[in-house]
Every structure is written in C-alpha cells, then in structure tokens.
Amino acid sequence: MTSRGTPAERFDRNVQRRSAQVLKQRVLEQQRAEFDQALERAAEQDAIERAAALIVSARRRFLIGYGKSLSYASLLAADLSAGLSGVHLVDGAPPRALDVLSDIRQGDLLVAVSLERYRRETVEVASAYVRHGGELVLITDAEDAPLTAVATTRIVVGTGSASYANSPTSIALVLHLLATLTIASSKGAGRRLRERDALAAELHLYVDEA
C-alpha cells in the first residue's frame, strides 16, 4: 500500500511555514481537482449502484468504522435510517462488535468505512464477519487497502489533500450518492420518511422555522 504519511509528516510537508493565503489557495485547488475526479469516478463506475442494491436487499445493515471513519459511518447510518429499518451503527465499544459477530443471520450485511490510516479494529471485525458467513460492503481509499480482497463489493474514493488531514470531500459525495440510491430503491422509504416527519412534529424535535 502506498501511504501519504502520518498527519505530522503531512503537516511538515504541506502546512508548516506557509502563509494563510498560500495555504488556502493550495487547499482549494487540491479540493477542486479532487472533487472533479470524484465526479468522474462516480459517473464511470457502478460500484455505488452495486453497494446500494446490497444494502437495500439486506435484512439487517450494520455499519462500522473506528477513529475518524466512525464519523463517516455515523453519517451514512443516519441517512439510511431515515428511509430504512434495520440499520445499526456499531460504535467503538468492543461488546457491540461481539454482539454483531455472534449473531450473523442470512441476509445480514456489514458496511465498513476503512480509510488511511487503517484502524486495526475495523479490519479485524470485518474480516471475522466475512469468515463467519456475512457479506461486506467496503468504503475505502485505495485499491489495495485492507479488506478489499474479502469485500463483496467495494467503493474506492480519493482523499488526497494539501492539508495535514485527508480530504472528506469525495467521501461525503460518495456517502450522499450511496444513501440516495439506496433509499430511492426501497419500496417502504416514502412511508417511513412521512412517519418520521409526523413523529418529529409530534415530539417537537426541531425549531419551528415559521
């Protein structure tokens, strides 16, 4: 695997001793290029459609990620839960992973977000899930990243950046597309969304915009 280096190494290489104006321009130019490439990849490849079909046809959907990847898994779980039942986020607590691994049923699916630097917990739990008969959808940032060999399907996104941190731009785009295509394919999504709207109003969850 080709590594872009640690955040500290990227800070020394990309960020340190640069003026705010120069750094801002470099980051914006990189993000513009990264977003254009993400749009091209999404248009040309059918990995997102394959992943959406697996998610919508699953009986239970578990989403996992550790470290920063947990934030992306949480975002996808929230968007999927709006239109699908049986969506479960596997948080960082070890008992949750054990619960999932000890109760794999036919029709279950694990969606793993695993981005550089790849967390060992994600790799170990997802690998065990596949060994015990479960299917895996992988969202990652390299063709040779861990778990690509065992995933039923994988979505590879670009995360290059002129910053010390990997870019979230392409990841956010892919997650948005994946959730949209999945919900659009679900027969009960419209009813579930309307029921959630009614319940949200009943419970006064949101500030009145009137």
Side-chain angles (χ1 to χ4, degrees):
M1 291 176 292
T2 301
S3 173
R4 287 181 288 271
T6 68
E9 291 168 343
R10 293 199 298 271
F11 176 83
D12 291 338
R13 183 172 64 246
N14 298 333
V15 178
Q16 193 174 36
R17 294 184 297 275
R18 298 188 187 278
S19 71
Q21 188 61 37
V22 169
L23 182 58
K24 175 184 175 182
Q25 190 62 34
R26 283 171 56 89
V27 171
L28 289 176
E29 289 174 357
Q30 175 70 34
Q31 290 305 285
R32 184 179 293 111
E34 190 67 50
F35 188 69
D36 288 343
Q37 292 173 11
L39 290 174
E40 291 178 5
R41 285 193 295 265
E44 294 172 356
Q45 300 178 10
D46 61 357
I48 298 175
E49 290 91 331
R50 293 198 305 271
L54 287 170
I55 294 171
V56 78
S57 63
R59 294 183 60 185
R60 296 188 300 176
R61 302 100 177 162
F62 299 97
L63 292 96
I64 191 171
Y66 286 84
K68 190 174 179 179
S69 294
L70 177 59
S71 301
Y72 299 125
S74 300
L75 174 61
L76 182 58
D79 285 346
L80 291 177
S81 295
L84 293 175
S85 61
V87 176
H88 309 280
L89 178 66
V90 182
D91 58 27
R96 286 289 294 129
L98 289 176
D99 289 343
V100 173
L101 292 174
S102 63
D103 188 31
I104 299 175
R105 306 175 190 174
Q106 186 174 4
D108 285 354
L109 180 72
L110 181 67
V111 180
V113 182
S114 180
L115 306 168
E116 188 189 16
R117 306 155 74 191
Y118 309 103
R119 287 289 294 262
R120 185 177 302 278
E121 300 98 319
T122 306
V123 175
E124 291 181 348
V125 172
S127 297
Y129 190 87
V130 174
R131 286 198 306 271
H132 289 271
E135 286 194 292
L136 172 67
V137 167
L138 175 64
I139 301 169
T140 191
D141 56 2
E143 293 288 352
D144 60 347
L147 298 173
T148 54
V150 299
T152 305
T153 192
R154 65 180 184 269
I155 302 171
V156 179
V157 301
T159 57
S161 173
S163 174
Y164 67 93
N166 290 337
S167 170
T169 303
S170 298
I171 306 168
L173 171 65
V174 163
L175 296 182
H176 180 58
L177 281 172
L178 180 57
T180 300
L181 296 181
T182 302
I183 297 305
S185 302
S186 174
K187 294 180 179 179
R191 173 187 53 78
R192 182 175 174 84
L193 286 165
R194 288 188 292 272
E195 289 178 352
R196 285 169 62 94
D197 284 347
L199 287 169
E202 179 183 333
L203 297 174
H204 306 289
L205 295 184
Y206 303 108
V207 175
D208 188 357
E209 296 180 350

